[in-house]
Amino acid sequence: MSFTIIIPARFASTRLPGKPLADLGGAPMVVRVAQQAAQVRSARVVVATDDARIAKAVGDAGIETLMTRADHPTGTDRLAEAVDSLGLSDHSIVVNVQGDEPFLAPTLIKRVAEKLVLHEDAAIATACHPLKTMAEARNPNIVKVVLDHLGYALYFSRALIPFARDAIASLPEDAILPAYPAEHPLYRHYGLYAYRASFLRLFPTLPVAPIEAAEKLEQLRALWHGYRIAVEVADEAPAPGIDTEEDLEIARRLWVQTYGA
């Protein structure tokens, strides 16, 4: 199996401007992400950016880079442009790795790509893992996903779903979620996606869905328009993302602990 990993990287991050070029263990963060992704065998790794400074840093590190337009409304739209610029066939598999997740496990990237290959009726594959506490389940910054019996996504939400009405009221914030009804597992969604290139070309033409606009979750556009999303259930918690200066300092300490200075 071969596939292409595309890492969208914008300089103008709202909460942490210049985030892709933030130093992490002596190299720009986006370079660390690409190096991590490059550990996946049979994968081509490309950084898609709208900023010449990012392109230069990535190119200087020997990583393939691609310039894209600066006016894309979503990262998925940027991927669609990249797919065309790279000349990928409609049958190609493209994995979207976020440029602020330098600790993402290469094995999970591969498993999500394999998930899409094995589910020919799906346009997208993604991943989730079981939540641990009620505080996490109630946190609107943690996106939840509900699956059907075949492992396809039914819905994504910032709300607590599924809502086990008869059990939920008695659970405190620090409740460990094995106490939640076993038939209604609570899953946290990873922001990791594999797409068929044909769907990426289609995505920008699909009207924004009302549920997408309400939840601020663009994957809901696919569900709204009838496209299936296969979901890999992982045991491991997601790698920490980096959105703020505080996150960056935590990541720098974790990098030293994991890889040394």
Side-chain angles (χ1 to χ4, degrees):
M1 179 186 67
S2 63
F3 57 94
T4 301
I5 297 171
I6 300 180
I7 305 170
R10 293 172 56 250
F11 189 87
S13 171
T14 304
R15 288 186 285 179
L16 189 58
K19 177 169 62 173
L21 298 181
D23 181 83
L24 186 62
M29 187 194 319
V30 67
V31 170
R32 293 301 191 195
V33 174
Q35 290 170 339
Q36 190 83 338
Q39 295 180 42
V40 182
R41 290 186 177 183
S42 302
R44 176 186 184 184
V45 179
V46 182
V47 174
T49 185
D50 59 1
D51 190 276
R53 291 164 290 185
I54 295 174
K56 183 178 186 306
V58 170
D60 288 348
I63 298 161
E64 186 175 359
T65 186
L66 177 70
M67 292 297 297
T68 58
R69 301 198 323 264
D71 60 348
H72 288 300
T74 71
T76 311
D77 291 283
R78 192 176 308 282
L79 289 179
E81 181 188 353
V83 162
D84 282 338
S85 296
L86 295 171
L88 300 181
S89 72
D90 279 348
H91 300 292
S92 298
I93 301 296
V94 176
V95 178
N96 176 16
V97 171
Q98 300 299 324
D100 59 359
E101 292 194 356
F103 301 100
L104 181 64
T107 53
L108 185 59
I109 297 173
K110 184 177 180 182
R111 281 159 52 197
V112 169
E114 289 173 340
K115 194 79 172 181
L116 187 57
V117 171
L118 293 172
H119 291 74
E120 296 182 357
D121 57 345
I124 305 172
T126 189
C128 69
H129 82 100
L131 282 166
K132 294 181 179 179
T133 68
M134 285 306 300
E136 291 177 319
R138 291 187 171 114
N139 184 345
N141 295 315
I142 293 177
V143 177
K144 276 68 72 175
V145 60
V146 175
L147 311 182
D148 68 13
H149 72 291
L150 295 174
Y152 292 91
L154 288 172
Y155 192 68
F156 297 84
S157 181
R158 299 182 182 279
L160 195 168
I161 56 171
F163 191 90
R165 186 191 64 180
D166 295 336
I168 199 73
S170 62
L171 292 178
E173 286 292 299
D174 59 351
I176 302 301
L177 282 177
Y180 204 78
E183 66 272 22
H184 301 299
L186 290 170
Y187 291 125
R188 176 179 185 163
H189 175 235
Y190 279 90
L192 172 67
Y193 297 95
Y195 300 92
R196 301 191 190 283
S198 56
F199 179 77
L200 282 173
R201 291 188 167 100
L202 174 68
F203 181 84
T205 71
L206 298 175
V208 173
I211 53 174
E212 171 192 2
E215 295 261 17
K216 300 297 185 287
L217 299 172
E218 65 186 76
Q219 65 269 36
L220 290 174
R221 189 184 313 181
L223 293 183
W224 176 265
H225 290 285
Y227 294 91
R228 303 188 83 179
I229 301 177
V231 184
E232 172 75 9
V233 179
D235 293 328
E236 60 266 41
I242 302 169
D243 292 314
T244 66
E245 286 286 355
E246 180 180 0
D247 293 341
L248 180 57
E249 289 307 313
I250 292 171
R252 284 169 172 161
R253 291 194 294 271
L254 181 58
W255 187 270
V256 172
Q257 293 169 10
T258 306
Y259 301 107

